[in-house]
C-alpha cells in the first residue's frame, strides 16, 4: 500500500491535475457534510425535531467520529498510501450519505450521520499532506487555498442540488443521489493520483558540518503525547463509571446518556493520542499550535454554525421557499467563498515574505471585519430604509443582503489557506498528516459540534421572546466567536516564527 513515485512529476500540469482531483473530492466531502443544512425544514417536519435536536444531528453526530478518527487514519497515512486511504474514505462517507435517504427515524439518521463522519475522517488530513508534497513552500498557502475551494463548491452544490432535489422529489432522493455520486468518483482518485515522496518539495537543507554529522541522532520523546492520552483515558473511564452508577445504582450524578457519550468520546480521543503520541509530543507543547487551532476553532463555531443555519434563516426571516433558498444561498456560498479563500491564501503568501506572522494575521483581520458585515446583511431592510422610504421592495432587500453576505462569507473562509499552511510547518514532513489531524480534531470537534448545536440551542432558548426571529438573534450572539478567533490568531502571529519547522 505504498504506491509512491520517485519524485514529484516534472510537468507542472500533473501537479495541478492532482490538485483539481483533490478539490473535487473535498467538494464531495463538504457536499455530503453540509447538505443537511438545506434539508433542515423537511427533516424537522418529518421527524418532529426542535432546533436543538436538529443541532445535534448536524453537529455532534458527525463531528464526534469525524474529529476523533481523523488522528489514527492520519497516522496510518503518514506510513501508508495516502491515496488508498482517501479512496476508501470517499467510498465509506458516500455510502453512508446514501443510507441517510432510507432512515426511518431520528435515531437511524443520527447513526448514519455518524457513519458519514467515519468516512470523512480520512479525507482531509492526507490531502493536506499530499498537497504539501506536490507544491513547494512558497506556493503552499495558495495551493491549500485552492484545495479549500472544495468548501464553497461543496456547500453551494449541496445547497443547490440537495434543495432542488428535495423540493421536487423529497429529501430522501437528495441524500441517495449525492451519495451515489461519490461512489462514482472514488475510482478516478485511486487510478489517476500518485502518492509522492514525502518532503520532496521542501526547501533543501544546508550541508551538515562535521560536528553535526558526528552528533548522535535526536530522539523524539513521546512523553507529552502519552500524558495527554492517559489523562483523556482516565477522564473517559471516570465518565463511564458515573454513567453506570447513574443507570444501575441510582446515583444522581447527571444524565447517564450524556456521561456515557462523553466518556466514550474522551476514550476514543485518548486512544487516538496514544497512536499519535510522538507527533502530539512535538505539536502540543508549541504555543503557536494551540493559538492557531483554537483560533480556527472559534471561527469555525460561526463558520459551520452559520452555514448550517442560514438556509433556515432565509426561509423564516426572508420568507423564501426551499427552492428559492437553494439558489440564493448557493450563490452566496460559491461567489463569496471562492473569492475569500483565494485572496486569503494569495495575500498570506505575499506578506509571509516579510514574516511568518502574516499567516495568522491575515485571517485575524478578516474575522474582525466579518462580524459587523454579517449583522448588516441580516438587516438589509433597515439599511435600505436609510436610503429608500419604506425600506424598498422585497427584491431590493434580497439583492442588498446577497451583496453584503458575499463579504463575510469570503472573509469567514480566508483562514483556510494561511492557517493550514502554517500547521504544515509546525511538525516535520513525515508527521504532517497526523499534525493536521490533531489540528482538525480541535477545529472540528469545537467548530462543527459546538457551532451547529449552539445556534439551534440558542434559537430554542430565545424562541419564547422572539418567536420565528429567534434564529436571527441566535446568530447575533454567535458573532462574538469571530472576535475571540481574531485575538487568538493575533497571538499566534507573535509566536509562529519561533515554532516554525522548515
Amino acid at each position: 500500500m505504498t504506491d509512491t513515485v520517485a519524485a514529484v512529476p516534472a510537468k507542472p500540469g500533473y501537479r495541478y491535475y492532482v490538485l483539481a482531483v483533490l478539490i473535487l473530492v473535498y467538494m464531495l466531502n463538504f457536499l455530503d457534510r453540509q447538505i443537511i443544512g438545506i434539508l433542515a425544514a423537511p427533516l424537522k417536519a418529518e421527524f418532529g425535531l426542535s432546533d436543538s435536536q436538529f443541532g445535534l444531528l448536524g453537529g455532534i453526530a458527525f463531528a464526534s467520529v469525524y474529529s476523533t478518527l481523523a488522528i489514527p487514519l492520519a497516522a496510518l497515512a503518514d506510513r501508508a498510501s495516502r491515496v488508498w486511504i482517501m479512496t476508501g474514505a470517499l467510498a465509506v462517507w458516500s455510502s453512508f450519505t446514501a443510507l441517510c435517504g432510507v432512515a426511518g427515524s431520528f435515531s437511524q439518521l443520527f447513526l448514519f450521520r455518524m457513519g458519514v463522519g467515519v468516512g470523512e475522517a480520512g479525507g482531509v488530513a492526507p490531502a493536506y499532506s499530499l498537497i504539501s508534497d506536490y507544491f513547494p513552500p512558497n506556493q503552499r498557502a495558495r495551493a491549500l487555498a485552492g484545495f479549500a475551494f472544495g468548501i464553497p463548491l461543496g456547500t453551494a452544490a449541496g445547497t443547490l442540488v440537495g434543495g432542488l432535489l428535495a423540493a421536487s422529489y423529497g429529501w430522501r432522493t437528495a441524500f441517495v443521489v449525492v451519495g451515489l455520486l461519490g461512489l462514482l468518483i472514488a475510482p478516478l482518485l485511486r487510478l489517476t493520483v500518485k502518492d509522492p515522496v514525502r518532503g520532496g518539495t521542501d526547501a533543501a537543507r544546508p550541508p551538515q558540518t562535521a560536528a553535526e554529522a558526528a552528533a548522535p541522532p535526536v530522539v523524539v520523546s513521546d512523553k507529552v503525547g502519552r500524558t495527554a492520552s492517559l489523562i483523556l483515558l482516565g477522564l473517559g473511564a471516570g465518565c463511564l463509571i458515573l454513567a453506570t452508577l447513574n443507570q444501575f445504582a441510582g446515583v444522581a450524578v447527571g444524565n447517564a446518556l450524556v456521561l456515557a457519550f462523553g466518556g466514550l468520546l474522551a476514550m476514543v480521543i485518548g486512544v487516538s493520542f496514544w497512536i499519535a503520541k510522538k507527533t502530539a509530543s512535538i505539536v502540543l507543547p508549541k504555543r503557536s499550535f494551540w493559538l492557531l487551532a483554537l483560533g480556527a476553532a472559534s471561527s469555525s463555531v460561526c463558520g459551520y454554525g452559520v452555514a448550517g443555519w442560514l438556509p433556515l434563516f432565509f426561509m423564516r426571516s426572508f420568507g423564501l421557499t426551499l427552492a428559492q433558498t437553494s439558489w440564493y444561498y448557493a450563490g452566496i456560498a460559491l461567489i463569496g467563498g471562492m473569492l475569500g479563500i483565494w485572496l486569503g491564501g494569495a495575500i498570506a503568501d505575499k506578506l509571509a515574505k516579510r514574516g511568518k506572522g502574516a499567516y495568522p494575521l491575515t485571517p485575524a483581520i478578516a474575522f474582525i471585519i466579518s462580524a459587523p458585515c454579517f449583522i448588516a446583511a441580516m438587516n438589509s431592510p433597515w439599511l435600505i430604509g436609510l436610503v429608500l422610504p419604506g425600506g424598498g421592495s422585497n427584491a431590493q432587500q434580497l439583492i442588498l443582503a446577497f451583496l453584503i453576505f458575499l463579504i463575510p462569507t469570503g472573509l469567514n473562509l480566508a483562514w483556510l489557506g494561511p492557517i493550514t499552511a502554517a500547521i504544515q510547518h509546525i511538525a516535520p514532513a513525515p508527521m504532517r498528516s497526523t499534525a493536521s489531524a490533531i489540528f482538525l480534531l480541535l477545529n472540528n470537534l469545537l467548530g462543527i459540534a459546538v457551532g451547529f448545536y449552539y445556534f439551534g440551542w440558542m434559537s430554542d432558548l430565545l424562541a419564547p421572546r422572539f418567536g420565528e426571529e429567534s434564529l436571527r438573534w441566535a446568530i447575533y450572539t454567535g458573532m462574538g466567536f469571530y472576535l475571540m478567533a481574531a485575538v487568538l490568531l493575533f497571538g499566534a502571529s507573535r509566536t509562529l516564527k519561533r515554532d516554525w519547522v522548515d
Side-chain angles (χ1 to χ4, degrees):
M1 268 177 68
T2 54
D3 191 26
T4 58
V5 293
V8 175
K11 294 182 179 180
Y14 181 72
R15 178 184 301 172
Y16 287 100
Y17 169 79
V18 170
L19 180 60
V21 173
L22 294 178
I23 291 171
L24 176 61
V25 173
Y26 200 27
M27 183 187 81
L28 293 172
N29 182 299
F30 254 79
L31 192 160
D32 290 6
R33 184 188 312 186
Q34 294 295 108
I35 188 176
I36 198 166
I38 192 64
L39 301 180
L43 286 172
K44 281 165 59 66
E46 175 88 13
F47 299 114
L49 306 178
S50 67
D51 284 352
S52 297
Q53 287 175 308
F54 184 72
L56 289 174
L57 189 63
I60 195 67
F62 174 87
S64 59
V65 288
Y66 172 67
S67 304
T68 54
L69 292 182
I71 293 179
L73 288 174
L76 180 62
D78 277 334
R79 295 168 176 80
S81 169
R82 292 165 285 189
V83 176
W84 263 113
I85 291 169
M86 288 188 65
T87 302
L90 173 57
V92 170
W93 88 60
S94 298
S95 299
F96 275 104
T97 298
L99 284 173
C100 288
V102 300
S105 66
F106 171 75
S107 299
Q108 287 181 2
L109 189 57
F110 190 95
L111 292 174
F112 290 150
R113 285 290 295 174
M114 290 184 72
V116 175
V118 170
E120 294 198 8
V124 181
Y128 286 165
S129 179
L130 281 170
I131 293 168
S132 294
D133 287 336
Y134 270 106
F135 290 86
N138 65 332
Q139 297 178 14
R140 278 182 193 154
R142 278 170 288 177
L144 287 164
F147 173 67
F149 281 165
I151 295 176
L153 288 169
T155 302
T159 300
L160 186 60
V161 175
L164 294 180
L165 284 173
S168 300
Y169 305 104
W171 63 268
R172 295 182 184 277
T173 300
F175 275 125
V176 172
V177 169
V178 300
L180 293 179
L181 179 62
L183 292 175
L184 294 176
I185 299 299
L188 175 70
L189 171 65
R190 173 63 192 92
L191 296 175
T192 65
V193 174
K194 296 180 180 180
D195 214 322
V197 170
R198 299 172 199 269
T201 60
D202 287 350
R205 295 180 179 275
Q208 283 187 323
T209 64
E212 289 173 336
V218 177
V219 179
V220 178
S221 170
D222 60 6
K223 182 179 179 181
V224 173
R226 284 189 291 110
T227 301
S229 173
L230 292 173
I231 290 172
L232 287 164
L233 290 171
L235 179 63
C239 288
L240 290 175
I241 291 171
L242 291 176
T244 303
L245 292 173
N246 185 311
Q247 185 69 22
F248 299 106
V251 179
V253 285
N255 185 287
L257 182 60
V258 173
L259 287 169
F261 187 87
L264 288 171
L265 185 61
M267 295 198 75
V268 171
I269 297 174
V271 171
S272 297
F273 270 31
W274 185 268
I275 293 171
K277 54 184 178 289
K278 283 193 175 180
T279 303
S281 295
I282 289 177
V283 301
L284 293 184
K286 294 186 176 183
R287 184 177 299 179
S288 298
F289 172 80
W290 287 102
L291 292 169
L292 291 169
L294 294 177
S298 297
S299 74
S300 292
V301 170
C302 270
Y304 285 115
V306 172
W309 286 101
L310 269 182
L312 192 59
F313 167 78
F314 290 139
M315 287 184 251
R316 285 183 181 177
S317 298
F318 282 18
L320 300 182
T321 65
L322 178 58
Q324 289 171 334
T325 299
S326 300
W327 286 104
Y328 190 76
Y329 186 49
I332 292 172
L334 182 62
I335 299 171
M338 296 281 280
L339 288 173
I341 288 172
W342 181 251
L343 287 174
I347 292 171
D349 266 343
K350 186 174 182 178
L351 295 180
K353 295 175 183 178
R354 302 179 183 178
K356 307 301 184 187
Y359 286 110
L361 191 60
T362 301
I365 296 170
F367 293 142
I368 291 175
I369 303 171
S370 290
C373 288
F374 263 123
I375 295 173
M378 294 168 68
N379 289 277
S380 61
W382 176 79
L383 284 176
I384 207 168
L386 297 176
V387 180
L388 299 177
S393 67
N394 185 58
Q396 290 172 324
Q397 294 171 6
L398 289 172
I399 291 171
L400 180 62
F402 184 94
L403 295 174
I404 301 176
F405 265 121
L406 294 177
I407 300 171
T409 299
L411 295 174
N412 165 41
L413 297 174
W415 69 269
L416 287 158
I419 299 303
T420 52
I423 289 294
Q424 296 305 299
H425 290 276
I426 292 292
M431 297 180 175
R432 282 177 179 155
S433 289
T434 310
S436 296
I438 297 173
F439 163 77
L440 290 170
L441 168 68
L442 295 171
N443 180 54
N444 293 318
L445 194 59
L446 293 174
I448 301 176
V450 175
F452 214 106
Y453 178 74
Y454 171 83
F455 290 102
W457 169 75
M458 185 60 70
S459 177
D460 280 343
L461 189 67
L462 298 174
R465 180 173 181 180
F466 296 105
E468 286 293 299
E469 288 295 298
S470 63
L471 189 53
R472 173 193 296 274
W473 287 91
I475 294 174
Y476 289 165
T477 68
M479 294 298 107
F481 287 103
Y482 278 136
L483 302 181
M484 186 186 304
V487 171
L488 290 165
L489 292 179
F490 271 120
S493 71
R494 301 172 66 88
T495 63
L496 186 57
K497 182 178 179 180
R498 183 179 65 235
D499 295 331
W500 190 270
V501 177
D502 285 316

